[in-house]
Amino acid sequence: MAEMRFDRLFRTQHSEGYSLMEGSRRLGRIDLHFTAATVYGTLILEVDREEAEILKMIEEIDNDLVLSAEVPREDFLVTVYRGTELGFYSDDYLEEEQGSASNN
């Protein structure tokens, strides 16, 4: 596997979201949620990976994102899904769709 990088999508006081990139190819997305002692991760992969590769990805996420966040961490719990993005929706998009539907 080539070197993976993380492109931040958002950051709040208790959570962060990143696209996982390999060159210009998106591998997936990780959302991290920080609690008092546990960090929860939701990893959505858009590519097939063997379990050993997934474990390596989780290790990189832990080392590069979780530990560098400098929050107390007793455990890092990750749920992994395999899927593809079907779309990205926002209030503006929905308003435009509703407006064009009422014009028809």
Side-chain angles (χ1 to χ4, degrees):
M1 184 167 74
E3 186 170 327
M4 183 173 60
R5 76 170 194 279
F6 308 101
D7 291 349
R8 181 181 288 142
L9 301 170
F10 67 87
R11 181 181 210 167
T12 71
Q13 186 176 359
H14 300 287
S15 63
E16 296 181 350
Y18 296 87
S19 285
L20 281 61
M21 304 296 294
E22 185 177 65
S24 62
R25 180 180 183 202
R26 188 166 79 167
L27 302 174
R29 173 189 177 119
I30 182 75
D31 289 341
L32 300 170
H33 305 280
F34 300 91
T35 67
T38 303
V39 178
Y40 294 90
T42 303
L43 176 59
I44 303 169
L45 296 176
E46 296 180 20
V47 295
D48 289 323
R49 291 290 192 245
E50 298 292 326
E51 186 174 21
E53 292 174 299
I54 293 170
L55 293 174
K56 178 145 178 51
M57 292 173 85
I58 292 170
E59 182 180 9
E60 285 184 50
I61 291 165
D62 192 16
N63 290 332
D64 294 350
L65 302 176
V66 176
L67 294 175
S68 68
E70 297 181 4
V71 294
R73 174 207 181 285
E74 291 179 19
D75 205 355
F76 180 33
L77 306 175
V78 182
T79 303
V80 181
Y81 295 92
R82 170 67 168 92
T84 49
E85 184 175 308
L86 298 178
F88 179 77
Y89 302 92
S90 67
D91 288 342
D92 290 340
Y93 175 83
L94 295 173
E95 287 173 10
E96 287 176 21
E97 285 300 304
Q98 290 171 348
S100 65
S102 64
N103 292 333
N104 290 331

XYZ file of all heavy atoms in Angstrom:
843
model
N 0.840 -1.177 0.000
C 0.000 0.000 0.000
C 0.883 1.237 0.000
O 1.830 1.335 0.765
C -0.903 -0.028 1.245
C -1.889 1.107 1.298
S -3.183 0.900 2.545
C -2.276 1.237 4.040
N 0.552 2.210 -0.876
C 1.295 3.466 -0.924
C 1.000 4.278 0.339
O 0.103 3.944 1.114
C 0.906 4.251 -2.167
N 1.724 5.369 0.506
C 1.557 6.176 1.702
C 0.169 6.809 1.753
O -0.301 7.403 0.786
C 2.622 7.270 1.756
C 2.584 8.040 3.040
C 3.773 8.949 3.193
O 4.865 8.586 2.707
O 3.597 10.024 3.787
N -0.475 6.664 2.892
C -1.807 7.208 3.101
C -1.677 8.570 3.768
O -0.835 8.767 4.638
C -2.613 6.251 3.991
C -4.021 6.666 4.232
S -4.986 5.405 5.130
C -4.078 5.228 6.657
N -2.530 9.506 3.352
C -2.562 10.810 4.017
C -3.999 11.103 4.435
O -4.943 10.477 3.970
C -1.991 11.912 3.138
C -2.871 12.380 2.045
C -2.324 13.648 1.359
N -3.357 14.227 0.562
C -3.698 13.813 -0.652
N -3.040 12.824 -1.216
N -4.677 14.391 -1.310
N -4.140 12.074 5.317
C -5.436 12.419 5.873
C -5.771 13.859 5.512
O -5.010 14.763 5.832
C -5.414 12.262 7.400
C -4.923 10.914 7.852
C -3.628 10.746 8.309
C -5.751 9.809 7.799
C -3.170 9.509 8.723
C -5.306 8.563 8.207
C -4.008 8.410 8.663
N -6.880 14.068 4.834
C -7.364 15.412 4.504
C -8.524 15.725 5.435
O -9.572 15.069 5.369
C -7.827 15.498 3.055
C -6.679 15.393 2.061
O -5.507 15.461 2.476
O -6.974 15.242 0.858
N -8.331 16.718 6.307
C -9.361 17.041 7.293
C -10.599 17.606 6.602
O -10.515 18.497 5.761
C -8.852 18.040 8.322
C -9.927 18.355 9.378
C -9.502 19.353 10.418
N -8.535 18.751 11.306
C -7.488 19.394 11.790
N -7.265 20.640 11.461
N -6.656 18.790 12.598
N -11.762 17.087 6.997
C -13.047 17.559 6.498
C -13.713 18.489 7.501
O -14.362 19.458 7.136
C -13.977 16.377 6.209
C -13.461 15.367 5.186
C -14.332 14.126 5.170
C -13.400 16.014 3.820
N -13.577 18.162 8.798
C -14.154 19.001 9.845
C -13.463 18.723 11.163
O -12.804 17.697 11.341
C -15.679 18.764 9.988
C -16.029 17.395 10.504
C -16.104 17.140 11.868
C -16.284 16.351 9.629
C -16.430 15.873 12.349
C -16.611 15.083 10.092
C -16.675 14.855 11.450
N -13.631 19.675 12.076
C -13.109 19.518 13.431
C -14.023 20.292 14.368
O -14.351 21.444 14.111
C -11.693 20.068 13.521
C -11.081 19.925 14.891
C -9.694 20.519 14.927
N -8.895 19.809 15.888
C -7.608 19.899 15.996
N -6.933 20.672 15.162
N -6.965 19.227 16.909
N -14.452 19.641 15.444
C -15.215 20.296 16.493
C -14.462 20.088 17.801
O -13.377 19.503 17.811
C -16.640 19.709 16.607
O -16.558 18.397 17.155
C -17.357 19.685 15.265
N -15.054 20.504 18.876
C -14.399 20.344 20.170
C -14.181 18.877 20.524
O -13.204 18.530 21.170
C -15.227 21.027 21.254
C -14.562 21.042 22.605
C -15.368 21.821 23.624
O -16.425 22.365 23.329
N -14.859 21.865 24.841
N -15.087 17.979 20.058
C -15.012 16.578 20.455
C -14.987 15.594 19.286
O -15.133 14.384 19.500
C -16.183 16.223 21.382
C -16.198 17.030 22.639
N -15.301 16.838 23.659
C -16.976 18.063 23.021
C -15.536 17.704 24.626
N -16.550 18.463 24.256
N -14.821 16.079 18.065
C -14.809 15.152 16.934
C -14.007 15.723 15.770
O -13.770 16.932 15.686
C -16.233 14.834 16.478
O -16.870 16.001 16.022
N -13.592 14.831 14.896
C -12.865 15.199 13.685
C -13.257 14.226 12.590
O -13.582 13.067 12.863
C -11.349 15.116 13.891
C -10.806 16.077 14.915
C -9.294 15.987 15.067
O -8.675 15.059 14.521
O -8.734 16.866 15.739
N -13.205 14.680 11.351
C -13.472 13.823 10.211
C -12.422 14.035 9.141
O -12.003 15.177 8.900
N -11.988 12.955 8.521
C -10.926 13.009 7.512
C -11.262 12.107 6.331
O -11.829 11.024 6.501
C -9.598 12.500 8.088
C -9.038 13.331 9.198
C -9.424 13.113 10.519
C -8.112 14.334 8.941
C -8.908 13.868 11.549
C -7.592 15.099 9.974
C -7.992 14.862 11.271
O -7.482 15.620 12.291
N -10.856 12.546 5.144
C -10.802 11.656 3.994
C -9.460 10.953 4.051
O -8.434 11.582 4.363
C -10.894 12.434 2.680
O -12.203 12.882 2.448
N -9.434 9.662 3.765
C -8.193 8.898 3.686
C -7.805 8.849 2.218
O -8.577 8.369 1.380
C -8.387 7.477 4.217
C -8.393 7.285 5.728
C -9.502 8.060 6.383
C -8.512 5.830 6.067
N -6.635 9.363 1.909
C -6.214 9.507 0.518
C -4.926 8.718 0.260
O -4.058 8.607 1.125
C -5.969 10.984 0.188
C -7.144 11.902 0.454
S -8.587 11.562 -0.553
C -7.974 11.975 -2.180
N -4.835 8.203 -0.958
C -3.625 7.546 -1.455
C -3.359 8.206 -2.805
O -4.020 7.878 -3.796
C -3.870 6.050 -1.592
C -2.651 5.241 -1.977
C -2.998 3.764 -2.018
O -3.810 3.366 -2.873
O -2.449 3.027 -1.189
N -2.458 9.198 -2.815
C -2.298 10.017 -4.001
C -3.570 10.822 -4.203
O -4.064 11.467 -3.282
N -4.156 10.766 -5.404
C -5.411 11.478 -5.664
C -6.631 10.574 -5.463
O -7.762 11.007 -5.643
C -5.410 12.030 -7.089
O -5.326 10.971 -8.015
N -6.406 9.333 -5.081
C -7.490 8.364 -4.895
C -7.970 8.366 -3.453
O -7.183 8.244 -2.512
C -6.982 6.968 -5.257
C -8.016 5.883 -5.092
C -7.432 4.546 -5.464
N -8.446 3.520 -5.377
C -8.173 2.250 -5.229
N -6.926 1.835 -5.184
N -9.144 1.370 -5.142
N -9.277 8.486 -3.271
C -9.842 8.427 -1.933
C -10.067 6.973 -1.554
O -10.720 6.220 -2.268
C -11.153 9.196 -1.858
C -11.654 9.316 -0.420
C -12.731 10.318 -0.295
N -13.974 9.717 -0.755
C -15.169 10.248 -0.543
N -15.271 11.396 0.066
N -16.250 9.640 -0.975
N -9.512 6.578 -0.403
C -9.665 5.218 0.110
C -10.908 5.089 0.975
O -11.482 4.006 1.080
C -8.449 4.824 0.943
C -7.091 4.888 0.249
C -5.981 4.602 1.251
C -7.052 3.925 -0.912
N -11.287 6.187 1.610
C -12.422 6.149 2.504
C -12.455 7.364 3.390
O -11.908 8.412 3.056
N -13.074 7.175 4.544
C -13.278 8.278 5.471
C -13.223 7.741 6.895
O -13.681 6.629 7.170
C -14.655 8.869 5.185
C -15.100 9.913 6.146
C -16.556 10.244 5.887
N -16.993 11.206 6.867
C -17.437 12.411 6.578
N -17.539 12.789 5.325
N -17.811 13.231 7.539
N -12.683 8.562 7.809
C -12.689 8.225 9.232
C -13.303 9.394 9.987
O -12.951 10.545 9.757
C -11.270 7.903 9.784
C -11.307 7.507 11.258
C -10.293 9.044 9.566
C -11.804 6.157 11.556
N -14.274 9.079 10.836
C -14.840 10.051 11.762
C -14.416 9.628 13.157
O -14.579 8.462 13.534
C -16.368 10.083 11.673
C -16.863 10.699 10.375
O -16.098 11.417 9.711
O -18.035 10.460 10.031
N -13.852 10.554 13.901
C -13.363 10.294 15.255
C -14.190 11.089 16.254
O -14.471 12.272 16.026
C -11.896 10.705 15.382
C -10.922 9.992 14.464
C -9.556 10.663 14.506
C -10.813 8.530 14.847
N -14.562 10.437 17.353
C -15.349 11.076 18.407
C -14.632 10.835 19.726
O -14.418 9.684 20.124
C -16.772 10.516 18.435
C -17.437 10.639 17.098
N -17.998 11.804 16.658
C -17.578 9.750 16.089
C -18.471 11.624 15.440
N -18.227 10.385 15.069
N -14.252 11.928 20.380
C -13.463 11.876 21.604
C -14.365 12.026 22.822
O -15.131 12.981 22.920
C -12.414 12.997 21.593
C -11.459 12.911 20.436
C -11.724 13.571 19.240
C -10.301 12.161 20.537
C -10.843 13.491 18.173
C -9.414 12.079 19.469
C -9.685 12.746 18.286
N -14.290 11.048 23.746
C -15.016 11.140 25.010
C -13.979 11.291 26.122
O -12.791 11.447 25.850
C -15.893 9.897 25.242
O -15.059 8.761 25.446
C -16.841 9.655 24.075
N -14.416 11.207 27.357
C -13.513 11.419 28.489
C -12.339 10.440 28.500
O -11.222 10.811 28.848
C -14.284 11.331 29.790
N -12.573 9.174 28.103
C -11.495 8.194 28.180
C -11.374 7.316 26.938
O -10.389 6.610 26.790
C -11.697 7.298 29.396
N -12.353 7.377 26.058
C -12.373 6.490 24.898
C -12.520 7.311 23.626
O -13.235 8.306 23.607
C -13.548 5.500 25.001
O -13.428 4.780 26.237
C -13.562 4.517 23.856
N -11.833 6.875 22.583
C -11.994 7.475 21.264
C -12.727 6.454 20.398
O -12.330 5.292 20.322
C -10.628 7.840 20.634
C -10.827 8.425 19.242
C -9.864 8.807 21.531
N -13.814 6.898 19.775
C -14.597 6.049 18.879
C -14.315 6.467 17.440
O -14.307 7.659 17.142
C -16.095 6.196 19.170
C -16.485 5.678 20.526
C -16.470 6.509 21.642
C -16.851 4.352 20.697
C -16.819 6.031 22.892
C -17.206 3.866 21.944
C -17.177 4.715 23.037
O -17.521 4.231 24.274
N -14.091 5.484 16.597
C -13.857 5.766 15.190
C -14.829 4.998 14.320
O -15.156 3.840 14.599
N -15.296 5.663 13.268
C -16.096 5.016 12.237
C -15.306 5.132 10.948
O -15.104 6.235 10.437
C -17.476 5.673 12.083
O -18.149 5.647 13.342
C -18.309 4.946 11.036
N -14.826 3.994 10.468
C -14.006 3.937 9.263
C -14.850 3.359 8.138
O -15.355 2.240 8.251
C -12.770 3.066 9.510
C -11.845 2.806 8.326
C -11.286 4.101 7.754
C -10.711 1.872 8.747
N -15.021 4.133 7.074
C -15.767 3.678 5.907
C -14.778 3.573 4.755
O -14.210 4.581 4.325
C -16.909 4.641 5.543
C -17.848 4.807 6.738
C -17.653 4.134 4.308
C -18.846 5.923 6.586
N -14.551 2.353 4.287
C -13.613 2.113 3.198
C -14.354 2.027 1.876
O -15.389 1.371 1.776
C -12.831 0.818 3.439
C -11.926 0.821 4.663
C -11.295 -0.552 4.845
C -10.859 1.899 4.531
N -13.798 2.666 0.864
C -14.365 2.617 -0.483
C -13.602 1.627 -1.358
O -13.908 1.494 -2.537
C -14.338 4.007 -1.105
C -15.202 4.998 -0.358
C -15.185 6.376 -0.962
O -14.822 6.527 -2.147
O -15.546 7.323 -0.246
N -12.625 0.972 -0.779
C -11.792 0.009 -1.501
C -11.739 -1.286 -0.698
O -11.923 -1.283 0.511
C -10.358 0.552 -1.713
C -10.362 1.778 -2.609
C -9.695 0.880 -0.379
N -11.502 -2.381 -1.385
C -11.336 -3.657 -0.693
C -9.945 -3.733 -0.097
O -8.959 -3.382 -0.758
C -11.549 -4.825 -1.655
C -13.005 -4.979 -2.056
O -13.875 -4.763 -1.190
O -13.267 -5.307 -3.227
N -9.861 -4.161 1.138
C -8.583 -4.340 1.822
C -8.649 -5.618 2.646
O -9.681 -5.942 3.230
C -8.262 -3.167 2.750
C -7.956 -1.860 2.053
C -6.627 -1.947 1.337
N -6.162 -0.657 0.891
C -6.016 -0.335 -0.384
N -6.313 -1.204 -1.316
N -5.561 0.841 -0.733
N -7.531 -6.307 2.718
C -7.415 -7.473 3.597
C -7.385 -6.976 5.043
O -7.042 -5.826 5.316
C -6.124 -8.246 3.284
C -6.057 -8.805 1.881
C -7.055 -9.922 1.655
O -7.316 -10.693 2.607
O -7.583 -10.007 0.531
N -7.715 -7.871 5.978
C -7.758 -7.474 7.384
C -6.417 -6.923 7.865
O -6.377 -5.942 8.610
C -8.205 -8.630 8.276
C -8.380 -8.179 9.713
C -8.963 -9.234 10.617
O -8.890 -10.436 10.290
O -9.493 -8.847 11.659
N -5.314 -7.507 7.433
C -3.996 -7.014 7.848
C -3.780 -5.567 7.402
O -3.223 -4.752 8.145
C -2.893 -7.910 7.288
N -4.254 -5.233 6.208
C -4.130 -3.860 5.717
C -5.038 -2.916 6.503
O -4.658 -1.777 6.793
C -4.478 -3.790 4.233
C -3.472 -4.497 3.337
C -3.937 -4.532 1.891
O -5.006 -5.132 1.628
O -3.232 -3.934 1.052
N -6.230 -3.390 6.846
C -7.154 -2.579 7.642
C -6.547 -2.290 9.013
O -6.589 -1.166 9.507
C -8.523 -3.265 7.764
C -9.208 -3.320 6.394
C -9.401 -2.555 8.798
C -10.453 -4.183 6.350
N -5.951 -3.308 9.619
C -5.313 -3.118 10.926
C -4.166 -2.116 10.837
O -3.970 -1.298 11.742
C -4.831 -4.455 11.483
C -5.940 -5.447 11.845
C -5.349 -6.797 12.237
C -6.836 -4.892 12.943
N -3.414 -2.157 9.745
C -2.330 -1.181 9.540
C -2.906 0.223 9.386
O -2.353 1.193 9.926
C -1.490 -1.562 8.330
C -0.388 -0.570 8.026
C 0.846 -1.223 7.505
C 1.939 -0.267 7.144
N 2.292 0.711 8.152
N -4.007 0.347 8.665
C -4.651 1.654 8.512
C -5.106 2.192 9.871
O -4.900 3.373 10.180
C -5.853 1.551 7.568
C -5.490 1.263 6.139
S -6.945 0.942 5.112
C -7.384 2.615 4.681
N -5.711 1.335 10.683
C -6.163 1.750 12.011
C -4.976 2.179 12.861
O -5.041 3.179 13.584
C -6.977 0.622 12.687
C -8.303 0.429 11.943
C -7.216 0.918 14.168
C -9.084 -0.800 12.357
N -3.885 1.452 12.758
C -2.670 1.826 13.498
C -2.173 3.203 13.067
O -1.789 4.028 13.905
C -1.594 0.764 13.287
C -0.323 1.036 14.060
C 0.744 -0.029 13.827
O 0.577 -0.885 12.937
O 1.749 0.016 14.561
N -2.176 3.475 11.770
C -1.755 4.792 11.269
C -2.689 5.886 11.753
O -2.241 6.972 12.136
C -1.693 4.799 9.739
C -0.516 4.068 9.168
C -0.435 4.188 7.654
O -0.524 5.331 7.141
O -0.305 3.145 6.994
N -3.988 5.615 11.730
C -4.965 6.586 12.223
C -4.713 6.863 13.698
O -4.703 8.014 14.138
C -6.400 6.063 11.990
C -6.713 6.047 10.485
C -7.412 6.890 12.765
C -7.932 5.219 10.110
N -4.472 5.817 14.472
C -4.195 5.970 15.900
C -2.944 6.817 16.115
O -2.960 7.792 16.866
C -4.051 4.591 16.552
C -4.044 4.637 18.060
O -4.448 5.665 18.648
O -3.653 3.631 18.670
N -1.871 6.468 15.436
C -0.605 7.186 15.618
C -0.652 8.623 15.110
O -0.148 9.536 15.768
C 0.539 6.444 14.927
C 0.894 5.159 15.621
O 0.714 5.001 16.823
N 1.383 4.203 14.853
N -1.248 8.833 13.934
C -1.193 10.146 13.300
C -2.304 11.096 13.731
O -2.112 12.316 13.710
C -1.229 10.013 11.772
C 0.007 9.323 11.215
O 0.979 9.112 11.971
O 0.001 8.996 10.012
N -3.465 10.565 14.099
C -4.609 11.431 14.413
C -5.042 11.369 15.870
O -5.244 12.400 16.495
C -5.806 11.067 13.519
C -5.576 11.152 12.012
C -6.806 10.677 11.257
C -5.185 12.555 11.597
N -5.182 10.178 16.398
C -5.724 10.037 17.754
C -4.693 10.469 18.796
O -4.971 11.327 19.638
C -6.206 8.593 18.019
C -6.668 8.431 19.458
C -7.336 8.233 17.050
N -3.511 9.899 18.736
C -2.497 10.226 19.741
C -2.038 11.679 19.637
O -1.735 12.310 20.651
C -1.307 9.273 19.630
C -1.632 7.808 19.970
C -0.425 6.921 19.715
C -2.113 7.678 21.406
N -2.025 12.227 18.436
C -1.594 13.620 18.266
C -2.657 14.615 18.727
O -2.376 15.798 18.862
C -1.214 13.887 16.809
O -2.365 13.842 15.983
N -3.885 14.153 18.961
C -4.954 15.043 19.428
C -4.746 15.454 20.881
O -5.401 16.374 21.371
C -6.310 14.370 19.258
N -3.861 14.766 21.572
C -3.508 15.086 22.952
C -4.725 15.132 23.874
O -4.900 16.048 24.667
C -2.724 16.389 23.013
C -1.396 16.309 22.278
C -0.587 17.582 22.357
O -0.996 18.529 23.051
O 0.474 17.620 21.705
N -5.589 14.121 23.746
C -6.717 13.958 24.667
C -6.516 12.637 25.400
O -5.874 11.726 24.875
C -8.072 13.969 23.929
C -8.337 15.326 23.306
C -8.155 12.885 22.895
N -7.040 12.524 26.616
C -6.896 11.253 27.338
C -7.481 10.103 26.521
O -8.531 10.243 25.909
C -7.702 11.475 28.614
C -7.839 12.949 28.751
C -7.798 13.506 27.358
N -6.763 8.993 26.498
C -7.190 7.870 25.674
C -6.873 6.563 26.374
O -5.724 6.173 26.476
C -6.479 7.922 24.330
C -6.738 6.733 23.431
C -5.521 6.571 22.511
N -5.615 5.507 21.584
C -5.473 4.215 21.888
N -5.274 3.845 23.123
N -5.529 3.282 20.969
N -7.918 5.894 26.868
C -7.723 4.572 27.445
C -7.970 3.491 26.406
O -7.424 2.397 26.509
C -8.644 4.381 28.654
C -8.247 5.242 29.835
C -9.176 5.069 31.021
O -9.902 4.053 31.099
O -9.183 5.963 31.877
N -8.820 3.792 25.422
C -9.123 2.803 24.392
C -9.507 3.516 23.109
O -9.989 4.652 23.134
C -10.266 1.890 24.845
C -10.249 0.525 24.153
O -9.413 0.319 23.256
O -11.067 -0.322 24.520
N -9.284 2.839 21.986
C -9.647 3.331 20.663
C -10.498 2.250 20.017
O -10.003 1.176 19.697
C -8.385 3.630 19.846
C -8.637 4.156 18.450
C -9.716 4.961 18.158
C -7.757 3.839 17.432
C -9.931 5.447 16.882
C -7.951 4.321 16.150
C -9.039 5.133 15.872
N -11.793 2.525 19.880
C -12.739 1.552 19.345
C -13.125 1.975 17.935
O -13.593 3.100 17.730
C -13.981 1.476 20.231
C -13.717 1.200 21.717
C -15.018 1.277 22.498
C -13.052 -0.142 21.899
N -12.922 1.080 16.966
C -13.158 1.415 15.560
C -14.156 0.437 14.955
O -13.977 -0.779 15.048
C -11.841 1.371 14.751
C -12.095 1.768 13.303
C -10.786 2.269 15.377
N -15.173 0.983 14.325
C -16.116 0.194 13.546
C -15.785 0.441 12.085
O -15.652 1.593 11.659
C -17.575 0.619 13.830
O -17.815 0.490 15.230
C -18.551 -0.246 13.057
N -15.633 -0.644 11.314
C -15.226 -0.530 9.909
C -16.387 -0.976 9.019
O -16.976 -2.032 9.244
C -13.972 -1.389 9.618
C -13.551 -1.249 8.164
C -12.836 -1.012 10.557
N -16.669 -0.149 8.015
C -17.699 -0.446 7.024
C -17.067 -0.411 5.636
O -16.080 0.274 5.412
C -18.827 0.605 7.046
C -19.609 0.626 8.318
C -19.258 1.479 9.366
C -20.722 -0.185 8.478
C -19.986 1.509 10.533
C -21.455 -0.156 9.657
C -21.082 0.696 10.671
O -21.804 0.727 11.831
N -17.675 -1.109 4.712
C -17.272 -1.057 3.291
C -18.443 -0.452 2.546
O -19.568 -0.953 2.637
C -16.958 -2.470 2.775
C -16.770 -2.590 1.275
C -15.499 -1.845 0.823
N -15.140 -2.175 -0.531
C -15.545 -1.475 -1.604
N -16.322 -0.435 -1.465
N -15.163 -1.834 -2.796
N -18.230 0.646 1.833
C -19.321 1.285 1.117
C -18.817 2.283 0.100
O -17.609 2.500 -0.042
N -19.745 2.876 -0.601
C -19.418 3.916 -1.577
C -20.317 5.117 -1.321
O -21.469 4.977 -0.897
C -19.636 3.436 -3.029
O -20.934 2.842 -3.118
C -18.605 2.436 -3.445
N -19.782 6.271 -1.585
C -20.548 7.499 -1.416
C -21.556 7.615 -2.547
O -21.206 7.492 -3.721
C -19.617 8.707 -1.416
C -20.337 10.002 -1.144
C -19.379 11.172 -1.024
O -18.421 11.077 -0.240
O -19.598 12.162 -1.744
N -22.797 7.850 -2.194
C -23.841 8.009 -3.193
C -24.124 9.471 -3.499
O -24.695 9.797 -4.526
C -25.134 7.329 -2.731
C -25.028 5.823 -2.523
C -26.352 5.266 -2.015
C -24.623 5.127 -3.802
N -23.725 10.347 -2.608
C -23.935 11.768 -2.831
C -23.578 12.560 -1.597
O -23.338 11.998 -0.533
N -23.532 13.859 -1.763
C -23.269 14.777 -0.659
C -24.385 15.805 -0.689
O -24.590 16.472 -1.705
C -21.900 15.438 -0.818
C -21.588 16.414 0.280
C -21.194 15.947 1.521
C -21.699 17.774 0.077
C -20.908 16.838 2.554
C -21.420 18.668 1.103
C -21.025 18.199 2.337
N -25.129 15.920 0.385
C -26.312 16.761 0.416
C -26.177 17.839 1.472
O -25.622 17.614 2.537
C -27.556 15.911 0.690
C -27.732 14.826 -0.334
C -27.195 13.559 -0.135
C -28.385 15.075 -1.529
C -27.333 12.565 -1.092
C -28.527 14.090 -2.492
C -27.996 12.838 -2.268
O -28.127 11.865 -3.216
N -26.683 19.004 1.163
C -26.654 20.130 2.093
C -28.007 20.836 2.032
O -28.842 20.552 1.162
C -25.546 21.108 1.689
O -25.866 21.708 0.441
N -28.238 21.785 2.921
C -29.476 22.562 2.898
C -29.639 23.270 1.558
O -30.729 23.296 0.985
C -29.502 23.586 4.033
C -29.694 22.943 5.394
O -30.136 21.774 5.448
O -29.403 23.614 6.401
N -28.553 23.882 1.044
C -28.615 24.582 -0.244
C -29.043 23.640 -1.359
O -29.887 23.985 -2.180
C -27.263 25.212 -0.593
C -26.922 26.380 0.311
O -27.836 26.952 0.938
O -25.725 26.725 0.383
N -28.464 22.445 -1.391
C -28.815 21.471 -2.426
C -30.288 21.096 -2.331
O -31.004 21.063 -3.333
C -27.937 20.223 -2.307
C -28.326 19.131 -3.272
C -27.867 19.153 -4.583
C -29.177 18.097 -2.881
C -28.237 18.162 -5.482
C -29.558 17.109 -3.776
C -29.089 17.136 -5.072
O -29.459 16.172 -5.958
N -30.751 20.818 -1.117
C -32.137 20.411 -0.930
C -33.102 21.535 -1.305
O -34.146 21.296 -1.908
C -32.372 19.948 0.511
C -31.602 18.678 0.900
C -31.766 18.394 2.387
C -32.039 17.492 0.069
N -32.745 22.782 -0.977
C -33.592 23.908 -1.356
C -33.657 24.054 -2.871
O -34.727 24.323 -3.424
C -33.060 25.200 -0.719
C -33.315 25.279 0.759
C -32.634 26.463 1.414
O -32.099 27.347 0.698
O -32.631 26.523 2.660
N -32.526 23.882 -3.544
C -32.507 23.955 -5.007
C -33.369 22.854 -5.620
O -34.123 23.105 -6.558
C -31.082 23.828 -5.539
C -30.221 25.038 -5.308
C -28.789 24.840 -5.754
O -28.529 23.928 -6.595
O -27.923 25.571 -5.275
N -33.273 21.651 -5.081
C -34.067 20.532 -5.599
C -35.559 20.789 -5.377
O -36.369 20.517 -6.264
C -33.651 19.229 -4.931
C -32.325 18.689 -5.435
C -32.329 18.395 -6.913
O -33.189 17.616 -7.383
O -31.476 18.947 -7.631
N -35.918 21.296 -4.220
C -37.325 21.575 -3.938
C -37.826 22.707 -4.830
O -38.955 22.668 -5.315
C -37.519 21.921 -2.468
C -37.323 20.733 -1.557
C -37.311 21.108 -0.083
O -37.231 22.289 0.268
N -37.365 20.108 0.774
N -36.978 23.701 -5.066
C -37.349 24.816 -5.924
C -37.538 24.388 -7.362
O -38.506 24.777 -8.020
N -36.651 23.516 -7.880
C -36.797 23.061 -9.257
C -37.960 22.094 -9.402
O -38.603 22.043 -10.441
C -35.496 22.415 -9.764
O -35.201 21.250 -9.053
N -38.304 21.349 -8.359
C -39.442 20.440 -8.414
C -40.750 21.218 -8.445
O -41.699 20.825 -9.115
C -39.429 19.482 -7.232
N -40.819 22.333 -7.738
C -42.054 23.129 -7.718
C -42.219 23.919 -9.014
O -43.314 24.331 -9.345
C -42.076 24.055 -6.504
O -41.033 24.996 -6.593
N -41.130 24.139 -9.777
C -41.202 24.834 -11.055
C -41.643 23.925 -12.183
O -41.933 24.377 -13.270
C -39.854 25.474 -11.404
C -39.490 26.615 -10.483
O -40.373 27.258 -9.932
N -38.215 26.878 -10.318
N -41.652 22.622 -11.946
C -42.047 21.677 -13.003
C -43.509 21.384 -12.996
O -44.306 21.370 -12.304
C -41.271 20.367 -12.871
C -39.802 20.556 -13.225
O -39.470 21.409 -14.021
N -38.941 19.777 -12.609
